Short mmCIF file of all heavy atoms in Angstrom, two decimals:
data_model
loop_
_atom_site.label_atom_id
_atom_site.label_comp_id
_atom_site.label_asym_id
_atom_site.label_seq_id
_atom_site.Cartn_x
_atom_site.Cartn_y
_atom_site.Cartn_z
N GLU A 1 94.57 101.38 113.84
CA GLU A 1 94.81 100.79 115.16
C GLU A 1 94.13 101.62 116.25
O GLU A 1 93.49 101.07 117.16
CB GLU A 1 96.31 100.70 115.42
CG GLU A 1 97.04 99.70 114.53
CD GLU A 1 98.55 99.82 114.61
OE1 GLU A 1 99.02 100.72 115.35
OE2 GLU A 1 99.26 99.05 113.93
N THR A 2 94.24 102.93 116.14
CA THR A 2 93.62 103.82 117.13
C THR A 2 92.11 103.71 117.08
O THR A 2 91.45 103.61 118.13
CB THR A 2 94.06 105.28 116.86
OG1 THR A 2 95.49 105.37 116.95
CG2 THR A 2 93.43 106.22 117.88
N GLY A 3 91.54 103.77 115.88
CA GLY A 3 90.09 103.70 115.73
C GLY A 3 89.52 102.40 116.26
O GLY A 3 88.48 102.39 116.93
N PHE A 4 90.19 101.31 115.97
CA PHE A 4 89.73 100.00 116.44
C PHE A 4 89.71 99.96 117.96
O PHE A 4 88.75 99.46 118.57
CB PHE A 4 90.64 98.89 115.89
CG PHE A 4 90.23 97.50 116.31
CD1 PHE A 4 89.19 96.86 115.66
CD2 PHE A 4 90.90 96.84 117.33
CE1 PHE A 4 88.81 95.57 116.05
CE2 PHE A 4 90.53 95.57 117.72
CZ PHE A 4 89.48 94.93 117.07
N ALA A 5 90.75 100.48 118.59
CA ALA A 5 90.84 100.46 120.05
C ALA A 5 89.77 101.35 120.69
O ALA A 5 89.29 101.05 121.79
CB ALA A 5 92.23 100.91 120.50
N MET A 6 89.38 102.40 120.02
CA MET A 6 88.42 103.34 120.58
C MET A 6 86.97 102.86 120.47
O MET A 6 86.13 103.25 121.27
CB MET A 6 88.53 104.70 119.88
CG MET A 6 89.84 105.42 120.13
SD MET A 6 89.94 106.98 119.22
CE MET A 6 88.80 107.98 120.17
N MET A 7 86.71 102.01 119.48
CA MET A 7 85.32 101.62 119.24
C MET A 7 84.87 100.48 120.14
O MET A 7 85.66 99.61 120.52
CB MET A 7 85.12 101.24 117.76
CG MET A 7 85.04 102.46 116.86
SD MET A 7 84.53 102.04 115.18
CE MET A 7 86.07 101.39 114.53
N ASN A 8 83.58 100.49 120.44
CA ASN A 8 82.95 99.47 121.27
C ASN A 8 81.85 98.81 120.46
O ASN A 8 80.90 99.48 120.02
CB ASN A 8 82.36 100.13 122.52
CG ASN A 8 81.77 99.13 123.50
OD1 ASN A 8 81.38 98.02 123.13
ND2 ASN A 8 81.67 99.52 124.77
N SER A 9 81.96 97.51 120.25
CA SER A 9 81.00 96.80 119.41
C SER A 9 79.56 96.90 119.92
O SER A 9 78.61 96.69 119.17
CB SER A 9 81.39 95.32 119.29
OG SER A 9 82.60 95.18 118.58
N ASP A 10 79.41 97.23 121.20
CA ASP A 10 78.05 97.38 121.74
C ASP A 10 77.29 98.51 121.06
O ASP A 10 76.06 98.53 121.07
CB ASP A 10 78.10 97.65 123.25
CG ASP A 10 78.57 96.44 124.05
OD1 ASP A 10 78.54 95.32 123.50
OD2 ASP A 10 78.96 96.62 125.22
N TYR A 11 78.01 99.43 120.46
CA TYR A 11 77.37 100.55 119.77
C TYR A 11 77.18 100.29 118.27
O TYR A 11 76.65 101.14 117.56
CB TYR A 11 78.18 101.83 119.95
CG TYR A 11 78.17 102.35 121.37
CD1 TYR A 11 79.30 102.25 122.18
CD2 TYR A 11 77.04 102.96 121.90
CE1 TYR A 11 79.31 102.73 123.47
CE2 TYR A 11 77.03 103.45 123.21
CZ TYR A 11 78.17 103.33 123.98
OH TYR A 11 78.16 103.81 125.27
N ASP A 12 77.64 99.14 117.81
CA ASP A 12 77.50 98.80 116.39
C ASP A 12 76.12 98.23 116.12
O ASP A 12 75.84 97.07 116.44
CB ASP A 12 78.57 97.78 115.97
CG ASP A 12 79.97 98.38 115.95
OD1 ASP A 12 80.08 99.60 115.79
OD2 ASP A 12 80.94 97.61 116.09
N ASN A 13 75.24 99.04 115.57
CA ASN A 13 73.88 98.58 115.32
C ASN A 13 73.41 98.83 113.90
O ASN A 13 72.23 98.75 113.60
CB ASN A 13 72.89 99.23 116.30
CG ASN A 13 72.99 100.75 116.28
OD1 ASN A 13 73.54 101.34 115.36
ND2 ASN A 13 72.45 101.37 117.31
N SER A 14 74.36 99.15 113.01
CA SER A 14 73.98 99.42 111.63
C SER A 14 75.16 99.16 110.71
O SER A 14 76.30 99.53 111.03
CB SER A 14 73.53 100.88 111.47
OG SER A 14 73.32 101.19 110.11
N LYS A 15 74.90 98.54 109.57
CA LYS A 15 75.95 98.30 108.60
C LYS A 15 76.17 99.48 107.67
O LYS A 15 77.08 99.45 106.84
CB LYS A 15 75.64 97.04 107.80
CG LYS A 15 75.70 95.78 108.65
CD LYS A 15 75.65 94.51 107.83
CE LYS A 15 75.83 93.29 108.71
NZ LYS A 15 75.92 92.02 107.95
N VAL A 16 75.36 100.53 107.82
CA VAL A 16 75.57 101.72 107.01
C VAL A 16 76.35 102.79 107.77
O VAL A 16 76.49 103.91 107.32
CB VAL A 16 74.23 102.30 106.48
CG1 VAL A 16 73.54 101.30 105.57
CG2 VAL A 16 73.32 102.73 107.62
N LEU A 17 76.86 102.43 108.94
CA LEU A 17 77.81 103.24 109.67
C LEU A 17 79.04 102.40 109.96
O LEU A 17 78.93 101.18 110.16
CB LEU A 17 77.21 103.74 110.99
CG LEU A 17 76.02 104.70 110.90
CD1 LEU A 17 75.47 104.97 112.29
CD2 LEU A 17 76.41 106.01 110.22
N VAL A 18 80.19 103.03 109.98
CA VAL A 18 81.43 102.30 110.26
C VAL A 18 81.33 101.58 111.59
O VAL A 18 80.92 102.17 112.60
CB VAL A 18 82.63 103.27 110.27
CG1 VAL A 18 83.87 102.59 110.84
CG2 VAL A 18 82.93 103.74 108.86
N SER A 19 81.66 100.31 111.61
CA SER A 19 81.66 99.51 112.83
C SER A 19 83.09 99.09 113.18
O SER A 19 84.03 99.32 112.41
CB SER A 19 80.76 98.28 112.67
OG SER A 19 81.21 97.48 111.58
N LYS A 20 83.24 98.49 114.34
CA LYS A 20 84.57 98.19 114.87
C LYS A 20 85.42 97.37 113.90
O LYS A 20 86.60 97.69 113.68
CB LYS A 20 84.43 97.46 116.21
CG LYS A 20 85.75 97.23 116.95
CD LYS A 20 85.52 96.64 118.32
CE LYS A 20 86.82 96.39 119.08
NZ LYS A 20 87.48 97.64 119.52
N PHE A 21 84.83 96.34 113.31
CA PHE A 21 85.65 95.44 112.49
C PHE A 21 85.86 95.94 111.07
O PHE A 21 86.62 95.33 110.31
CB PHE A 21 85.09 94.02 112.54
CG PHE A 21 85.38 93.36 113.86
CD1 PHE A 21 84.42 93.33 114.86
CD2 PHE A 21 86.63 92.82 114.12
CE1 PHE A 21 84.69 92.76 116.09
CE2 PHE A 21 86.91 92.24 115.35
CZ PHE A 21 85.94 92.21 116.34
N VAL A 22 85.24 97.08 110.72
CA VAL A 22 85.61 97.74 109.46
C VAL A 22 87.06 98.18 109.53
O VAL A 22 87.79 98.14 108.53
CB VAL A 22 84.69 98.94 109.20
CG1 VAL A 22 85.17 99.73 107.97
CG2 VAL A 22 83.25 98.47 108.96
N ALA A 23 87.51 98.56 110.72
CA ALA A 23 88.91 98.97 110.88
C ALA A 23 89.85 97.85 110.49
O ALA A 23 90.86 98.07 109.79
CB ALA A 23 89.16 99.40 112.33
N LYS A 24 89.55 96.62 110.90
CA LYS A 24 90.41 95.49 110.57
C LYS A 24 90.25 95.06 109.11
O LYS A 24 91.21 94.64 108.46
CB LYS A 24 90.13 94.32 111.51
CG LYS A 24 90.59 94.56 112.94
CD LYS A 24 92.10 94.79 113.00
CE LYS A 24 92.58 95.07 114.41
NZ LYS A 24 94.04 95.35 114.44
N ALA A 25 89.04 95.16 108.58
CA ALA A 25 88.83 94.83 107.17
C ALA A 25 89.60 95.80 106.27
O ALA A 25 90.22 95.39 105.28
CB ALA A 25 87.34 94.87 106.84
N LEU A 26 89.60 97.09 106.63
CA LEU A 26 90.36 98.06 105.87
C LEU A 26 91.85 97.85 106.06
O LEU A 26 92.63 97.96 105.10
CB LEU A 26 89.97 99.48 106.29
CG LEU A 26 90.75 100.63 105.65
CD1 LEU A 26 90.73 100.55 104.12
CD2 LEU A 26 90.20 101.98 106.13
N GLU A 27 92.27 97.51 107.25
CA GLU A 27 93.69 97.24 107.49
C GLU A 27 94.17 96.08 106.62
O GLU A 27 95.26 96.13 106.04
CB GLU A 27 93.93 96.93 108.96
CG GLU A 27 95.40 96.73 109.31
CD GLU A 27 95.63 96.45 110.79
OE1 GLU A 27 94.69 96.66 111.59
OE2 GLU A 27 96.75 96.02 111.13
N ALA A 28 93.35 95.04 106.50
CA ALA A 28 93.72 93.91 105.64
C ALA A 28 93.82 94.35 104.18
O ALA A 28 94.73 93.94 103.46
CB ALA A 28 92.69 92.79 105.79
N ARG A 29 92.88 95.19 103.75
CA ARG A 29 92.90 95.68 102.36
C ARG A 29 94.16 96.50 102.09
O ARG A 29 94.82 96.31 101.06
CB ARG A 29 91.66 96.53 102.09
CG ARG A 29 91.59 97.09 100.69
CD ARG A 29 90.37 98.00 100.49
NE ARG A 29 89.12 97.27 100.57
CZ ARG A 29 87.92 97.83 100.43
NH1 ARG A 29 87.81 99.14 100.23
NH2 ARG A 29 86.82 97.10 100.50
N VAL A 30 94.48 97.41 102.99
CA VAL A 30 95.67 98.24 102.83
C VAL A 30 96.93 97.38 102.85
O VAL A 30 97.85 97.57 102.04
CB VAL A 30 95.74 99.31 103.93
CG1 VAL A 30 97.04 100.11 103.85
CG2 VAL A 30 94.54 100.26 103.84
N ALA A 31 96.97 96.42 103.74
CA ALA A 31 98.15 95.56 103.86
C ALA A 31 98.37 94.72 102.61
O ALA A 31 99.51 94.53 102.17
CB ALA A 31 98.02 94.66 105.09
N VAL A 32 97.31 94.22 102.02
CA VAL A 32 97.44 93.48 100.76
C VAL A 32 97.91 94.39 99.64
O VAL A 32 98.78 94.03 98.84
CB VAL A 32 96.09 92.80 100.39
CG1 VAL A 32 96.10 92.31 98.95
CG2 VAL A 32 95.81 91.64 101.34
N TYR A 33 97.38 95.60 99.59
CA TYR A 33 97.77 96.57 98.56
C TYR A 33 99.27 96.83 98.61
O TYR A 33 99.94 96.91 97.58
CB TYR A 33 96.98 97.86 98.79
CG TYR A 33 97.25 98.97 97.80
CD1 TYR A 33 96.57 99.03 96.58
CD2 TYR A 33 98.16 99.99 98.09
CE1 TYR A 33 96.79 100.06 95.68
CE2 TYR A 33 98.39 101.02 97.19
CZ TYR A 33 97.71 101.05 95.99
OH TYR A 33 97.94 102.08 95.10
N PHE A 34 99.82 96.94 99.82
CA PHE A 34 101.24 97.27 99.98
C PHE A 34 102.12 96.04 100.19
O PHE A 34 103.34 96.16 100.32
CB PHE A 34 101.43 98.24 101.14
CG PHE A 34 101.05 99.65 100.82
CD1 PHE A 34 99.92 100.22 101.38
CD2 PHE A 34 101.81 100.40 99.94
CE1 PHE A 34 99.56 101.53 101.09
CE2 PHE A 34 101.46 101.71 99.64
CZ PHE A 34 100.33 102.27 100.21
N GLY A 35 101.53 94.85 100.24
CA GLY A 35 102.32 93.64 100.43
C GLY A 35 102.84 93.46 101.84
O GLY A 35 103.87 92.81 102.05
N ASP A 36 102.12 94.00 102.84
CA ASP A 36 102.47 93.79 104.24
C ASP A 36 101.73 92.54 104.73
O ASP A 36 100.69 92.62 105.40
CB ASP A 36 102.10 95.02 105.07
CG ASP A 36 102.86 96.26 104.65
OD1 ASP A 36 104.02 96.11 104.20
OD2 ASP A 36 102.31 97.37 104.76
N TRP A 37 102.26 91.39 104.39
CA TRP A 37 101.48 90.15 104.46
C TRP A 37 101.17 89.69 105.87
O TRP A 37 100.07 89.20 106.13
CB TRP A 37 102.20 89.06 103.66
CG TRP A 37 102.40 89.46 102.23
CD1 TRP A 37 103.58 89.71 101.59
CD2 TRP A 37 101.37 89.69 101.26
NE1 TRP A 37 103.35 90.08 100.29
CE2 TRP A 37 102.01 90.06 100.06
CE3 TRP A 37 99.98 89.61 101.29
CZ2 TRP A 37 101.30 90.36 98.89
CZ3 TRP A 37 99.26 89.90 100.13
CH2 TRP A 37 99.93 90.27 98.95
N ASN A 38 102.11 89.82 106.79
CA ASN A 38 101.83 89.40 108.17
C ASN A 38 100.72 90.26 108.79
O ASN A 38 99.86 89.75 109.51
CB ASN A 38 103.10 89.47 109.02
CG ASN A 38 104.08 88.37 108.68
OD1 ASN A 38 103.69 87.25 108.38
ND2 ASN A 38 105.37 88.68 108.69
N ARG A 39 100.75 91.53 108.48
CA ARG A 39 99.70 92.42 108.97
C ARG A 39 98.36 92.04 108.34
O ARG A 39 97.32 92.06 109.01
CB ARG A 39 100.04 93.88 108.64
CG ARG A 39 99.01 94.87 109.16
CD ARG A 39 99.36 96.29 108.76
NE ARG A 39 100.43 96.87 109.54
CZ ARG A 39 100.24 97.58 110.65
NH1 ARG A 39 99.01 97.75 111.13
NH2 ARG A 39 101.27 98.09 111.30
N ALA A 40 98.37 91.68 107.07
CA ALA A 40 97.14 91.27 106.40
C ALA A 40 96.56 90.00 107.03
O ALA A 40 95.33 89.87 107.17
CB ALA A 40 97.40 91.04 104.91
N VAL A 41 97.43 89.08 107.42
CA VAL A 41 96.96 87.85 108.09
C VAL A 41 96.29 88.18 109.41
O VAL A 41 95.17 87.74 109.69
CB VAL A 41 98.14 86.87 108.31
CG1 VAL A 41 97.73 85.74 109.25
CG2 VAL A 41 98.61 86.29 106.98
N SER A 42 96.95 88.95 110.25
CA SER A 42 96.41 89.22 111.58
C SER A 42 95.13 90.04 111.52
O SER A 42 94.18 89.79 112.28
CB SER A 42 97.46 89.91 112.45
OG SER A 42 97.85 91.15 111.89
N ALA A 43 95.07 91.01 110.61
CA ALA A 43 93.87 91.83 110.48
C ALA A 43 92.70 91.00 109.97
O ALA A 43 91.57 91.12 110.46
CB ALA A 43 94.13 93.01 109.55
N SER A 44 92.96 90.13 109.01
CA SER A 44 91.90 89.26 108.48
C SER A 44 91.38 88.32 109.56
O SER A 44 90.17 88.11 109.68
CB SER A 44 92.43 88.45 107.29
OG SER A 44 92.83 89.29 106.22
N GLU A 45 92.30 87.75 110.32
CA GLU A 45 91.88 86.81 111.37
C GLU A 45 91.04 87.49 112.44
O GLU A 45 90.13 86.87 113.01
CB GLU A 45 93.12 86.14 111.98
CG GLU A 45 93.77 85.15 111.02
CD GLU A 45 95.04 84.52 111.57
OE1 GLU A 45 95.58 85.04 112.59
OE2 GLU A 45 95.51 83.52 110.99
N ALA A 46 91.29 88.75 112.71
CA ALA A 46 90.48 89.48 113.69
C ALA A 46 89.03 89.56 113.23
O ALA A 46 88.10 89.38 114.03
CB ALA A 46 91.04 90.88 113.91
#
């Protein structure tokens, strides 16, 4: 949550460096792993 809020997509110019929406993609992965389904929905939709 902190990392996502700190990042600015204007600086995302490479897929070989972490970008803003990697934070949400990882959040969805973690949420599915632990069965936090509402969090997985919202992170995926972002």
Side-chain angles (χ1 to χ4, degrees):
E1 292 169 358
T2 301
F4 181 79
M6 294 177 73
M7 283 190 282
N8 184 336
S9 293
D10 291 343
Y11 291 108
D12 290 335
N13 54 16
S14 173
K15 293 191 175 186
V16 298
L17 295 174
V18 168
S19 59
K20 186 174 180 71
F21 286 98
V22 173
K24 290 300 179 182
L26 176 54
E27 184 179 346
R29 180 184 294 180
V30 175
V32 166
Y33 181 85
F34 284 109
D36 297 328
W37 301 114
N38 288 323
R39 182 183 283 269
V41 168
S42 60
S44 298
E45 288 177 346

